């Protein structure tokens, strides 16, 4: 009987300890939580300071992430959403599901930042990645006239896919439908998210893949492979600023705030360059890793303001769908 009592007491004590450990649930995109992504290192680093259990939940790519939050509404298990970008923040705010935040830091972004709902954690330029020993087109018109086979992501589920739509729209305006018409026979396929598209490129299924100017850094630093390059387009490159926000219905508001503050600290930001392969929103004290200095730097940056991006998104999507249906 004593053994039974002791065992019961130990189980009760363990259950109580578990109950006293707060859990923070962060919805993010799949590649962030992969074994090679930032998720595992961020989880370990934050849990050292928070006295909590940080739980990342992969929810597809960025646009799919917002769709899931909208579907779940105030019933969502998420406390924080990490992985939206400035092309989606207006739509996110319209849901009424996000709460104001207070994150104060000097960002190292190419654009001024002021937003009461979302804080950036990294940024980069969209680009088409190709094999460095193969000549690449220098603009969208040349790409459309070429025989290059490309793989892109669906803008309805993927932030890079949506970024491509707005890249073409920002660069060409009313001429965008003609650009899509010329590109339509270059597409090998359209994938749901970035990981699938990049995998097809690496498997040799396409000559080029929609990704980032920073993607070659992965191959150079992690694999000591200089065989990949980002094509530089003379009409400029569209920027992506990735952000995180706190859900209004969270039952861990203080812990969510603590995570967002941690997100812009050295401990988090130093993880980003060699796991998410993007530029950190705040340059770590040690600077950028060796190899980042070899990356191409677009001479012209394109970025539609949040409201304008939201206003033209449906029009741009319609132009893209029309071209693909031809």
């Amino acid at each position: 009987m004593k053994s039974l009592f002791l065992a019961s007491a130990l189980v009760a004590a363990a259950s109580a300890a578990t109950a006293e450990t707060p859990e923070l649930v962060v919805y993010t995109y799949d590649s962030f939580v992969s074994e090679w992504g930032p998720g595992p290192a961020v989880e370990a680093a934050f849990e050292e300071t928070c006295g909590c259990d940080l739980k990342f939940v992969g929810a597809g790519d960025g646009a799919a992430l917002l769709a899931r939050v909208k579907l779940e509404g105030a019933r969502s298990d998420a406390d924080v959403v990490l992985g939206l970008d400035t092309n989606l923040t207006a739509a996110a705010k319209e849901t009424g599901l996000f709460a104001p935040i207070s994150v104060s830091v000097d960002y190292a972004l190419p654009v001024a930042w002021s937003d009461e709902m979302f804080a950036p954690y990294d940024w980069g330029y969209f680009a088409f990645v190709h094999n460095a020993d193969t000549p690449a087109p220098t603009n969208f018109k040349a790409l459309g006239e070429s025989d290059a086979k490309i793989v892109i992501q669906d803008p309805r589920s993927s932030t890079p896919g949506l970024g491509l739509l707005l890249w073409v729209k920002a660069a060409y305006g009313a001429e965008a439908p003609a650009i899509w018409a010329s590109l339509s026979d270059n597409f090998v396929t359209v994938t749901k998210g970035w990981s699938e598209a990049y995998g097809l490129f690496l498997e040799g299924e396409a000559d080029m893949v929609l990704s980032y100017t920073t993607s070659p850094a992965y191959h150079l630093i992690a694999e000591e492979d200089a065989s990949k390059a980002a094509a530089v387009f003379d009409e400029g490159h569209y920027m992506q600023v990735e952000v995180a926000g706190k859900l209004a219905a969270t039952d861990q508001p203080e812990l969510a705030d603590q995570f967002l503050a941690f997100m812009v600290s050295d401990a988090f930001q130093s993880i980003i360059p060699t796991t998410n392969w993007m530029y950190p929103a705040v340059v770590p004290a040690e600077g950028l890793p060796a190899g980042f200095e070899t990356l191409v730097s677009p001479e012209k940056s394109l970025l539609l303001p949040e409201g304008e991006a939201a206003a033209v998104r449906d029009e741009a999507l319609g132009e893209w769908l029309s071209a693909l249906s031809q």
Side-chain angles (χ1 to χ4, degrees):
M1 291 296 290
K2 287 183 178 180
S3 298
L4 180 60
F5 175 79
L6 179 59
S8 300
L10 289 173
V11 169
S15 299
T18 301
E20 291 171 2
T21 302
E23 181 182 73
L24 185 74
V25 178
V26 177
Y27 280 8
T28 187
Y29 43 83
D30 290 339
S31 62
F32 195 95
V33 297
S34 67
E35 60 180 354
W36 47 265
V42 168
E43 181 178 357
F46 185 60
E47 287 183 347
E48 284 184 2
T49 66
C50 71
C52 71
D53 177 19
L54 174 59
K55 181 180 179 182
F56 281 116
V57 176
D61 217 333
L65 179 60
L66 178 59
R68 174 167 175 173
V69 173
K70 290 171 66 175
L71 179 64
E72 294 177 350
R75 299 175 291 102
S76 178
D77 291 332
D79 302 296
V80 171
V81 175
L82 182 151
L84 305 181
D85 67 13
T86 52
N87 298 324
L88 293 170
T89 49
K93 291 173 183 177
E94 288 177 359
T95 67
L97 296 173
F98 290 85
I101 61 174
S102 56
V103 175
S104 179
V105 71
D106 291 328
Y107 293 111
L109 301 173
V111 295
W113 185 266
S114 177
D115 195 308
E116 65 175 9
M117 292 284 190
F118 295 99
Y121 62 91
D122 70 15
W123 68 278
Y125 292 104
F126 293 116
F128 286 96
V129 173
H130 63 100
N131 290 315
D133 59 359
T134 304
T138 57
N139 53 55
F140 279 107
K141 291 182 177 180
L143 178 58
E145 293 168 358
S146 75
D147 295 326
K149 297 304 179 184
I150 60 178
V151 58
I152 65 171
Q153 301 85 26
D154 193 323
R156 294 164 295 188
S157 57
S158 166
T159 50
L162 178 57
L164 177 60
L165 295 193
L166 298 181
W167 184 2
V168 173
K169 198 67 175 173
Y172 289 97
E175 198 180 345
I179 297 297
W180 287 119
S182 70
L183 290 173
S184 60
D185 60 355
N186 295 93
F187 298 136
V188 173
T189 190
V190 177
T191 64
K192 184 177 180 180
W194 177 88
S195 297
E196 303 97 315
Y198 208 83
L200 289 173
F201 165 68
L202 294 180
E203 292 166 6
E205 297 297 323
D207 301 310
M208 307 179 79
V209 60
L210 175 64
S211 193
Y212 300 88
T213 61
T214 46
S215 296
Y218 163 75
H219 301 284
L220 183 63
I221 298 172
E223 300 178 334
E224 297 183 350
D225 176 7
S227 67
K228 303 297 185 288
V232 180
F233 278 16
D234 52 29
E235 62 265 84
H237 287 249
Y238 199 84
M239 285 179 55
Q240 181 181 44
V241 181
E242 294 193 295
V243 303
K246 177 177 67 174
L247 288 177
T250 174
D251 59 358
Q252 297 289 345
E254 294 181 357
L255 193 55
D257 288 338
Q258 185 180 345
F259 176 80
L260 292 172
F262 173 79
M263 185 182 73
V264 296
S265 72
D266 244 33
F268 183 109
Q269 292 290 298
S270 62
I271 295 170
I272 289 297
T274 55
T275 54
N276 222 33
W277 303 101
M278 296 280 277
Y279 291 108
V282 182
V283 177
E286 296 182 358
L288 295 175
F292 268 68
E293 76 282 356
T294 67
L295 301 175
V296 299
S297 182
E299 293 185 3
K300 185 177 182 182
S301 301
L302 303 173
L303 182 65
L304 295 175
E306 176 188 87
E308 188 175 344
V312 304
R313 184 175 62 238
D314 290 345
E315 178 185 358
L317 179 61
E319 292 168 350
W320 175 74
L321 288 171
S322 177
L324 260 63
S325 65
Q326 299 301 317

